[in-house]
């Protein structure tokens, strides 16, 4: 069976206030063309179809057109909701849409009810595990604690139990939206940390033939059977070095996996440049970036006059300006920035407690209180976003 694995479309998202709707439409054109040209048997979308719970009408219309084209091509599609989607909104009409071969899996309670598709070698069971927000699904899965590993582990136990009851030789594919240990994040994924832990071990998914992951925006192979497709477009300058692709996966009769990366259209190259403004404007080596979307980090000791306007004279598609002035090691502003770089909210909060006390940081009980407070704020924000 030939499977096209995609994820993280983020329809409706912009890039530093530049609309990506045309680029997203071009990607979907490419996806449909690939389905036809490569004789794909099933398309997988591993979450984050939309960029937010209430997407703009233009994004909904683009999604609708894509579904019509996939259904018209007679190619089944299986998709799950991600942490950016409203599972309830995305799942409206799922039963009716399923009759057209578009299978939406957005309800955690039905994660062990597979979409069954057959080729000449027998059936393949596709299990859709939508994004599982631990605090919201813990009771459904009777998980011992509200953590990603606990709820995903419980969901996979249900999957393995259902698979074990099926005829011998039934092949299996799981779609999941999660941060799996070993994956490399970028700056454009929303934080899903719970209790200080964001990732789950790949071993959670043991027992199935292929795991189609979504959430991380770079295409990655964690094992031969566990892969991220990544997002089809770059959504932050941290993705400058990404090669945006889809996975074309051949699932053999014995469950063997062969995978090929299919490149996605690139609307415009990305570039990160750094230095003093006058140097950036004069450096001949930067000519290759003059038509790119540019993020410039200026290191001038004093902020230059009208830096973006001057930068745009050479780089008309400059979108982001960052100031990181050259400072001595004894400069208090420099040392403060270094202390904050790469630190989590939890670590910054603990540092604040230590600063206020003038020495000792929080003990383990106090750390637990801080973690619980940060988790409660994040979950409350998630609930507010998806509640009508």
């Amino acid at each position: 069976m030939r499977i096209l694995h995609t994820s993280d479309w983020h329809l409706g998202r912009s890039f530093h206030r530049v609309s990506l709707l045309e680029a997203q439409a071009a990607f979907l054109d490419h996806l449909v063309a690939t389905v036809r040209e490569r004789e794909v048997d099933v398309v997988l979308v591993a979450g984050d179809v939309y960029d937010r719970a209430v997407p703009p009408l233009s994004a909904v219309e683009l999604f609708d057109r894509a579904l019509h084209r996939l259904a018209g091509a007679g190619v089944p599609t299986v998709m799950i909701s991600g942490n950016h989607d409203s599972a309830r909104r995305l799942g409206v009409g799922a039963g009716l849409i399923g009759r057209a071969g578009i299978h939406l899996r957005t309800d955690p309670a039905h994660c062990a009810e597979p979409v069954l598709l057959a080729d000449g070698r027998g059936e393949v069971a596709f299990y859709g595990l939508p994004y599982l927000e631990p605090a919201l699904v813990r009771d459904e899965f009777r998980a011992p604690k509200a953590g990603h590993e606990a709820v995903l582990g419980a969901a996979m136990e249900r999957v393995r139990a259902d698979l074990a009851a099926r005829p011998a030789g039934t092949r299996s594919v799981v779609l999941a939206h999660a941060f799996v240990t070993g994956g490399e994040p970028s700056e454009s994924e929303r934080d899903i940390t719970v209790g200080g832990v964001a990732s789950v071990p790949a071993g959670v998914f043991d027992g199935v033939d292929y795991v189609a992951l979504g959430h991380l925006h770079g295409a990655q192979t964690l094992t031969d059977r566990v892969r991220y497709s990544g997002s089809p477009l770059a959504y932050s300058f941290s993705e400058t070095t990404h090669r945006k692709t889809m996975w074309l996966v051949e699932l053999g009769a014995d469950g063997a996996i062969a995978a090929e990366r299919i490149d996605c259209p690139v609307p415009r190259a990305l570039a990160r440049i750094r230095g003093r403004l006058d140097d950036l404007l004069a450096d001949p080596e930067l000519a290759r970036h003059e038509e790119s979307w540019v993020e410039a980090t200026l290191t001038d000791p004093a902020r230059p006059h009208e830096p973006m306007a001057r930068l745009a004279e050479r780089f008309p598609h400059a979108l982001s300006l960052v100031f990181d002035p050259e400072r001595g090691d004894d400069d208090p502003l420099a040392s403060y920035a270094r202390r904050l770089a790469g630190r989590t909210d939890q670590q910054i909060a603990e540092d604040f407690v230590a600063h206020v006390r003038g020495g000792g940081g929080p003990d383990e009980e106090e750390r637990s209180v801080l973690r619980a407070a940060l988790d409660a704020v994040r979950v409350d924000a998630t609930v507010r976003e998806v509640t009508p």
Side-chain angles (χ1 to χ4, degrees), residues 23-377:
Q24 290 172 335
F27 158 68
L28 292 172
D29 288 343
H30 172 66
L31 183 148
V32 174
T34 300
V35 166
R36 295 180 183 278
E37 292 167 7
R38 302 300 297 269
E39 299 180 337
V40 169
D41 297 305
V42 56
V43 174
L44 308 184
V45 187
D48 282 352
V49 174
Y50 292 119
D51 189 55
R52 53 185 184 269
V54 185
L57 180 59
S58 56
V60 177
E61 290 174 338
L62 182 58
F63 179 59
D64 181 63
R65 291 198 298 272
L67 296 191
H68 275 83
R69 294 173 69 187
L70 288 169
V75 177
T77 299
V78 184
M79 60 178 60
I80 59 173
S81 50
N83 61 303
H84 279 251
D85 299 309
S86 167
R88 291 178 62 188
R89 287 191 178 92
L90 185 63
V92 169
L96 184 61
I97 295 172
R99 297 181 184 180
I102 308 295
H103 305 281
L104 294 168
R105 291 295 183 263
T106 62
D107 186 347
H110 300 306
C111 66
E113 299 174 13
V115 177
L116 296 173
L117 301 174
D119 60 11
R121 307 298 179 88
E123 283 192 330
V124 181
F126 291 84
Y127 296 92
L129 277 57
Y131 172 67
L132 303 175
E133 174 58 57
L136 301 181
V137 302
R138 176 182 178 181
D139 291 343
E140 165 63 34
F141 292 105
R142 297 185 178 89
K145 58 182 180 178
H148 289 294
E149 184 174 356
V151 296
L152 264 174
M156 282 301 301
E157 286 298 326
R158 293 187 184 183
V159 167
R160 283 187 282 265
D162 180 84
L163 187 59
R166 296 192 175 276
T170 300
R171 291 160 290 165
S172 56
V173 174
V174 165
L175 292 78
H177 196 86
F179 185 174
V180 178
T181 303
E184 182 66 33
S186 62
E187 295 173 2
S188 54
E189 298 109 7
R190 182 179 295 170
D191 180 30
I192 59 171
T193 301
V194 174
V197 179
S199 64
V200 300
V204 163
F205 299 104
D206 286 350
V208 296
D209 292 309
Y210 184 70
V211 182
L213 293 174
H215 180 57
L216 300 185
H217 288 180
Q220 300 171 61
T221 301
L222 304 186
T223 75
D224 283 344
R225 298 185 182 276
V226 182
R227 299 171 188 260
Y228 282 100
S229 67
S231 60
L233 299 171
Y235 292 120
S236 74
F237 279 103
S238 66
E239 299 168 59
T240 298
T241 60
H242 286 190
R243 175 188 165 198
K244 295 300 184 181
T245 59
M246 305 176 285
W247 283 112
L248 185 62
V249 177
E250 293 271 3
L251 178 61
D254 59 353
I257 296 292
E260 172 189 354
R261 292 178 71 178
I262 306 293
D263 288 293
C264 296
V266 178
R268 191 177 296 278
L270 305 185
R272 275 179 153 170
I273 60 177
R274 179 184 179 89
R276 297 192 178 198
L277 179 58
D278 288 342
D279 293 338
L280 297 181
L281 296 177
D283 187 350
E285 291 295 318
L286 299 181
R288 66 187 188 277
H289 299 315
E290 290 176 358
E291 294 303 316
S292 302
W293 279 325
V294 169
E295 178 184 77
T297 298
L298 301 186
T299 61
D300 302 71
R303 185 172 300 216
H305 179 64
E306 296 187 342
M308 183 58 93
R310 292 175 60 193
L311 195 70
E313 291 177 2
R314 183 178 189 190
F315 305 101
H317 304 288
L319 298 180
S320 176
L321 200 57
V322 179
F323 292 96
D324 186 17
E326 298 165 352
R327 301 183 187 276
D329 291 339
D330 58 347
D331 189 310
L333 291 177
S335 60
Y336 177 72
R338 280 195 291 269
R339 286 200 306 272
L340 289 185
R343 298 186 71 76
T344 65
D345 291 343
Q346 176 81 18
Q347 291 168 326
I348 292 171
E350 291 180 11
D351 287 348
F352 176 74
V353 172
H355 172 73
V356 170
R357 287 178 174 168
D363 59 26
E364 188 53 44
E365 183 177 354
E366 291 168 329
R367 290 191 185 96
S368 295
V369 171
L370 288 172
R371 278 195 296 269
L374 291 169
D375 288 348
V377 169

